[in-house]
C-alpha cells in the first residue's frame, strides 16, 4: 500500500509538471497564470500523496521492528533463571519491609533503639 501511494504521488507530480510545461508553451498570458496555479496545486496534491506513502512505509517499518524486539524480549525472558532475587521473607509485604528498612536506617544513624521494635522515638530522630 505504501509503494502504491508513493507511485501515485509521483505520477501526479509528473503529470502536474507536464501540465505546467504545456501551459507555458500553449497558453496565452492570462491562461499561463491560471495554468501554473493549477499545475502547482496538482504538484502539491501529489507531494501530499507521496508523503502519506512515506509515512505509511515508516509505520510499517516500526511495526516490523516492534514485532522483532518483542520476540527478542520473549526469548530473553525464557532464558532467564526462575530464582526469586527479593531479600524479603515469605509473607512480608513490600510496604512493611520498606518501613522496617527506613526505621533501621534511622536507628543506625542516630544510635537509638526503637521502643517495642517499632519506629524510633521522636527524640532519637531529632538528636
Amino acid at each position: 500500500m505504501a509503494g502504491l501511494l508513493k507511485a501515485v504521488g509521483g505520477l501526479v507530480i509528473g503529470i502536474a509538471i507536464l501540465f505546467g510545461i504545456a501551459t507555458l508553451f500553449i497558453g496565452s498570458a492570462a491562461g499561463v497564470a491560471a495554468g501554473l496555479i493549477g499545475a502547482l496545486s496538482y504538484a502539491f496534491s501529489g507531494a501530499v500523496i507521496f508523503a502519506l506513502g512515506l509515512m505509511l512505509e515508516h509505520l510499517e517499518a516500526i511495526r516490523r521492528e516492534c514485532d522483532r524486539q518483542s520476540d527478542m524480549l520473549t526469548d530473553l525472558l525464557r532464558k532467564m533463571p526462575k530464582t526469586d532475587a527479593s531479600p524479603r521473607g515469605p509473607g512480608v509485604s513490600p510496604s512493611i519491609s520498606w518501613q522496617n528498612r527506613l526505621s533501621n536506617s534511622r536507628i543506625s544513624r542516630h544510635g537509638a533503639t526503637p521502643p517495642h521494635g517499632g519506629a524510633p522515638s521522636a527524640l532519637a530522630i531529632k538528636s
Side-chain angles (χ1 to χ4, degrees):
M1 184 71 180
L4 179 66
L5 282 174
K6 287 172 32 180
V8 168
L11 186 64
V12 170
I13 292 172
I15 291 172
I17 291 172
L18 291 176
F19 181 67
I21 292 172
T23 303
L24 285 176
F25 288 118
I26 297 173
S28 63
V32 169
L36 287 180
I37 291 173
L40 286 175
S41 66
Y42 288 139
F44 181 74
S45 299
V48 168
I49 294 170
F50 191 83
L52 288 174
L54 286 176
M55 286 190 298
L56 184 61
E57 184 178 51
H58 181 67
L59 289 174
E60 288 174 352
I62 289 173
R63 184 183 53 84
R64 281 192 304 269
E65 185 68 22
C66 183
D67 290 343
R68 188 179 68 81
Q69 288 181 355
S70 177
D71 291 341
M72 287 172 45
L73 182 61
T74 303
D75 292 342
L76 181 65
L77 289 174
R78 283 185 193 141
K79 292 178 184 177
M80 287 182 60
K82 301 288 184 190
T83 61
D84 183 24
S86 66
R88 297 185 302 256
V92 177
S93 70
S95 62
I96 294 172
S97 177
W98 177 79
Q99 290 171 351
N100 287 339
R101 280 185 269 156
L102 180 64
S103 66
N104 290 339
S105 67
R106 286 181 184 165
I107 294 167
S108 64
R109 271 190 266 146
H110 301 293
T113 58
H116 305 85
S121 66
L123 293 176
I125 293 174
K126 291 182 181 178
S127 58

